[in-house]
């Protein structure tokens, strides 16, 4: 019905207003990452552990952990209670 269409249109508009700032912030933060950090971020999103990433990229686990720390800092993840992998997956699904 027409009232349903108006309701859905308003709902979509409101959702866009909520999501747009979050998405914009995520894109801005991605611009801060180095190419290697983007690569590691992608591997984290694929579910790879630091050890697996280190083996794939022929780097030490400590180097990967340093990259993870830098990614957290650049993405503004200050709380140690926030899992980086979960954060990345949730930000990619927006």
């Amino acid at each position: 019905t027409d009232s349903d269409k108006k309701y859905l249109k308003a709902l979509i508009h409101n959702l866009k207003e909520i999501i747009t700032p979050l998405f914009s912030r995520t894109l801005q933060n991605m611009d801060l990452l180095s190419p290697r950090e983007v690569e590691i971020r992608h591997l984290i999103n694929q579910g790879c552990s630091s050890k697996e990433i280190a083996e794939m990229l022929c780097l030490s686990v400590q180097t990967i952990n340093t990259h993870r720390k830098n990614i957290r800092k650049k993405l503004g993840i200050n709380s140690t209670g926030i899992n980086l992998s979960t954060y990345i997956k949730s930000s990619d699904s927006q």
Side-chain angles (χ1 to χ4, degrees), residues 72-89:
R72 291 178 69 84
K73 183 177 177 181
K74 289 179 180 182
L75 294 180
I77 307 170
N78 300 319
S79 172
T80 56
I82 298 174
N83 181 281
L84 181 58
S85 178
T86 303
Y87 179 89
I88 290 171
K89 288 177 183 176

Side-chain angles (χ1 to χ4, degrees), residues 53-65:
I53 295 170
E55 290 171 359
M56 282 186 254
L57 301 179
C58 299
L59 298 170
S60 73
V61 173
Q62 182 58 43
T63 299
I64 300 304
N65 288 335

Side-chain angles (χ1 to χ4, degrees), residues 18-29 91-92 94:
I18 293 168
I19 291 174
T20 299
L22 298 172
F23 187 68
S24 296
R25 187 169 18 126
T26 300
L27 288 178
Q28 287 172 342
N29 289 337
S91 68
D92 283 356
Q94 292 178 0

Side-chain angles (χ1 to χ4, degrees), residues 3 5 7 10 16 31 40 42-43 50 59 71-72 75-76 81:
S3 63
K5 288 178 184 178
Y7 175 76
K16 284 181 181 178
D31 289 341
I40 292 170
H42 176 71
L43 292 170
S50 292
L59 298 170
I71 291 168
R72 291 178 69 84
L75 294 180

